[in-house]
Amino acid sequence: MHLRRRPVTLTLAATATTVAAALLGGTACSSSTSSSPSGFADSSPSSRAPAAPGSPEDGGESGGGGSAAREGQAAPAEQDWDTSPSSLAAIGDSITRGFDTCSLLADCPEASWATGTDAEVESLARQLLGGGSLAGRTWNLAESGARVEDLADQARRAAEHEPQLVTVLIGANDACARDVASMTSVAAFEDAFTEAVTALREGAPETQIYVSSVPDLMRLWQEGSRSSTARAVWQLASLCPSMLGDAADDSAAATTRREAVRERVREYNAVLAEVCADDPLCRYDGGAVFDYDFTTEHLSSWDWFHPGEEGQRQLAALAYEQVVTDVTAGD
């Protein structure tokens, strides 16, 4: 049996539990979380113009690897995008599973930005599908620890439900390797993501796809490394060593390493944008998630890595803005 290391999910339960007990004093997510903290108005969905779906925003996501095969090809026009789909499946990794959002070392799908039922998160599914039970209308098929190579199998399972919309958030685990050399190559990322879109399209030809950009792991380090607790948790739990290892190290070598990880994430996002642009029923978020100025208040109080309840709520808000934008009406 081939055993693959899962870099994002905390796999060493005993170590992480000890870390949490000693350092975090663990509190689960509360159902009485307040509105977004002050100081983020400029980054909220209501204060930023939506990026053109299917293409990268100015300032960072264009270019990168994986574009040669499509160079010179005009992206097909978006066709009949439904801004109010009635069913939704989610594929991706631990972010979409809500890992460490509500409790230590556990998925919390009820708080997922995509399909969650928690009223405080106000997931994309709740906003799009309205009140009542979401059972039979939503399917969270994401897997904690998944990398892009796992996405095609998830896509095939999603297609079996014939949802009107599938959300995709993948890539953090591909960049969060033991070192820079171990990150998923851009070419391999493109091949695997293209396979996933193809698998979904073959099984559900009329399903719409919303693709989130990979979060900015450099910003995660910039925000969290200010906390001695976060640095200790990252080190003891070996979270995202390529970016977060030796978090207090500000040497030239450490800076170069982190910049290499950030560049790889940019290249992944360029691939997501380009592959999505080839499908007339696919929308890329234009770098909205990558560009969002999150802080530690958006992170899990358990691991300072995954989104907490506030982070999940913001992911849902960013996705909703993109999904409901009617580009045919000139919005």
Side-chain angles (χ1 to χ4, degrees):
M1 179 182 295
H2 175 65
L3 297 179
R4 175 158 55 82
R5 181 174 181 270
R6 297 295 196 181
V8 167
T9 302
L10 304 183
T11 55
L12 302 178
T15 299
T17 302
T18 301
V19 171
L23 300 176
L24 300 179
T27 55
C29 63
S30 168
S31 62
S32 61
T33 301
S34 61
S35 59
S36 298
S38 60
F40 301 104
D42 292 341
S43 300
S44 66
S46 62
S47 63
R48 57 179 291 167
S55 63
E57 286 183 330
D58 290 338
E61 305 295 26
S62 59
S67 62
R70 288 177 294 278
E71 187 174 355
Q73 298 180 12
E78 191 174 80
Q79 298 176 357
D80 301 323
W81 181 270
D82 184 358
T83 59
S84 55
S86 59
S87 58
L88 187 157
I91 60 178
D93 57 26
S94 55
I95 296 176
T96 299
R97 288 298 297 174
F99 187 84
D100 267 2
T101 297
C102 295
S103 60
L104 178 65
L105 296 173
D107 289 346
C108 185
E110 61 269 29
S112 168
W113 67 273
T115 61
T117 56
D118 187 341
E120 295 299 322
V121 170
E122 194 64 7
S123 70
L124 177 63
R126 282 179 55 88
Q127 294 181 75
L128 290 175
L129 308 185
S133 173
L134 297 179
R137 297 188 292 163
T138 62
W139 304 271
N140 191 324
L141 303 172
E143 298 174 318
S144 290
R147 297 189 297 188
V148 70
E149 67 182 20
D150 303 306
L151 201 63
D153 286 342
Q154 294 182 24
R156 293 185 186 97
R157 286 186 281 126
E160 293 174 358
H161 297 285
E162 297 184 341
Q164 292 191 4
L165 177 68
V166 168
T167 67
V168 182
L169 203 173
I170 197 74
N173 285 328
D174 294 273
C176 281
R178 63 179 179 271
D179 52 40
V180 169
S182 302
M183 294 188 296
T184 301
S185 71
V186 177
F189 190 92
E190 178 183 14
D191 288 345
F193 184 64
T194 301
E195 180 187 2
V197 173
T198 300
L200 182 58
R201 190 53 68 223
E202 288 175 348
E206 297 182 1
T207 291
Q208 299 176 159
I209 308 171
Y210 165 76
V211 179
S212 168
S213 50
V214 184
D216 186 356
L217 299 175
M218 176 71 86
R219 182 165 184 83
L220 178 65
W221 170 77
Q222 290 170 337
E223 290 294 311
S225 62
R226 302 171 184 175
S227 165
S228 58
T229 300
R231 295 196 304 270
V233 171
W234 294 343
Q235 190 70 26
L236 291 174
S238 191
L239 278 170
C240 197
S242 56
M243 174 62 75
L244 304 179
D246 300 316
D249 185 358
D250 60 358
S251 67
T255 299
T256 298
R257 166 172 55 86
R258 296 182 191 115
E259 289 290 353
V261 177
R262 190 182 209 188
E263 181 58 27
R264 184 60 55 89
V265 170
R266 288 184 181 274
E267 291 172 330
Y268 291 164
N269 283 338
V271 167
L272 297 176
E274 291 159 3
V275 173
C276 189
D278 282 346
D279 187 306
L281 288 177
C282 184
R283 284 188 173 187
Y284 172 65
D285 75 356
V289 170
F290 179 87
D291 290 336
Y292 185 73
D293 292 334
F294 63 85
T295 72
T296 54
E297 295 193 39
H298 295 83
L299 301 179
S300 166
S301 60
W302 299 105
D303 62 23
W304 299 72
F305 181 85
H306 293 89
E309 189 177 81
E310 183 62 36
Q312 293 284 353
R313 179 164 44 249
Q314 188 58 54
L315 286 170
L318 292 171
Y320 180 77
E321 178 186 26
Q322 298 293 326
V323 170
V324 303
T325 298
D326 185 357
V327 296
T328 63
D331 290 355

